[in-house]
Amino acid sequence: MFTGIIQTQATVVSKIHSQGVLRLVVSVNEQYVKHLDLGASIAINGCCLTVVKVELSNHDVVAQVHFDVIDETLQLTNLGQLELGSLVNYERSVSFGTELGGHIVSGHIHCTAKIAQIVKLENNYKIQLSLPKKWQKYVIYKGFVAVNGASLTVGNIDEFGFWLHLIPETLDITNLGEAVVGDEFNIEVDQQTYTIINTVENYMRQHS
């Protein structure tokens, strides 16, 4: 489980695809791997991945974290589109006593949303996202959504998807401000909204 509060950005330093699995390696400051065990969960661009190897350097403060990503995950998320040097959002899983500053995020991506428009204002960004029709009903005005793992409030809703309004702090700590029109973000809809809508629809079908 995660909070949707991005801790830092990591850099993709290696990606080797073999026999249906991508070995993804990212570099990150060593402070973000303290007490990190093999098998631990880390959200990379909001996608929950399992740590399979951690390398610490004796020469600097940069560590490398290895993950194995299966083809199904690559097809469902934007992880397959990463290149060497790409910045990814990085959040370790919640531990006991962690402040829940965002909302509960599972790390299970539902779909990707394509950037249709970016409006750069003096102190913030407005980003219009085009969402697959199947998932539009789960994104509601002023509700929660995780975008590349970042817990955000939904802005305006339109017939194609929704808008994000990003403050400078969010732009600084995440990779959302690096994206351009046509890029895709990983989307995890709010689990409570998802459950309520599906429950009501199932009830209506059974009693119609």
Side-chain angles (χ1 to χ4, degrees):
M1 187 177 73
F2 305 91
T3 67
I5 303 300
I6 304 303
Q7 294 163 339
T8 189
Q9 295 180 60
T11 303
V12 175
V13 294
S14 177
K15 45 178 296 189
I16 300 175
H17 194 274
S18 176
Q19 299 181 338
V21 176
L22 173 71
R23 173 57 65 94
L24 179 67
V25 184
V26 303
S27 66
V28 66
N29 191 290
E30 282 190 6
Q31 67 176 302
Y32 298 105
V33 299
K34 288 182 179 179
H35 311 296
L36 181 65
D37 297 323
L38 299 185
S41 296
I42 294 179
I44 298 296
N45 276 359
C47 183
C48 179
L49 300 179
T50 300
V51 176
V52 297
K53 184 178 181 180
V54 180
E55 294 182 284
L56 301 177
S57 172
N58 294 324
H59 306 292
D60 53 35
V61 294
V62 176
Q64 292 189 352
V65 187
H66 297 232
F67 308 93
D68 286 337
V69 189
I70 62 175
D71 280 349
E72 181 181 1
T73 301
L74 296 176
Q75 294 168 7
L76 186 62
T77 71
N78 62 17
L79 298 186
Q81 302 168 19
L82 297 175
E83 301 176 352
L84 298 184
S86 293
L87 296 176
V88 294
N89 292 337
Y90 179 105
E91 183 193 353
R92 291 180 59 170
S93 59
V94 172
S95 59
F96 182 76
T98 299
E99 179 180 354
L100 186 62
H103 73 283
I104 295 175
V105 177
S106 71
H108 298 155
I109 304 303
H110 292 110
C111 64
T112 59
K114 184 171 290 188
I115 299 176
Q117 186 179 172
I118 298 176
V119 180
K120 297 182 180 181
L121 305 174
E122 183 177 356
N123 294 314
N124 61 84
Y125 273 26
K126 292 170 57 179
I127 299 180
Q128 182 187 31
L129 293 177
S130 178
L131 195 66
K133 191 171 183 61
K134 172 183 177 181
W135 296 102
Q136 290 179 10
K137 63 183 176 182
Y138 301 113
V139 178
I140 61 176
Y141 178 62
K142 296 299 183 183
F144 288 124
V145 65
V147 181
N148 267 10
S151 172
L152 298 172
T153 302
V154 177
N156 296 335
I157 300 290
D158 58 36
E159 61 181 313
F160 304 108
F162 64 100
W163 285 80
L164 294 175
H165 302 272
L166 305 179
I167 62 174
E169 174 66 16
T170 302
L171 295 170
D172 287 342
I173 199 66
T174 73
N175 62 7
L176 303 183
E178 303 294 325
V180 297
V181 171
D183 284 353
E184 295 183 353
F185 287 148
N186 290 335
I187 301 295
E188 180 184 335
V189 300
D190 176 52
Q191 191 61 44
Q192 288 187 331
T193 303
Y194 178 86
T195 301
I196 291 170
I197 289 176
N198 284 348
T199 300
V200 170
E201 288 185 344
N202 288 336
Y203 178 86
M204 295 299 291
R205 280 195 295 268
Q206 293 171 8
H207 294 80
S208 60

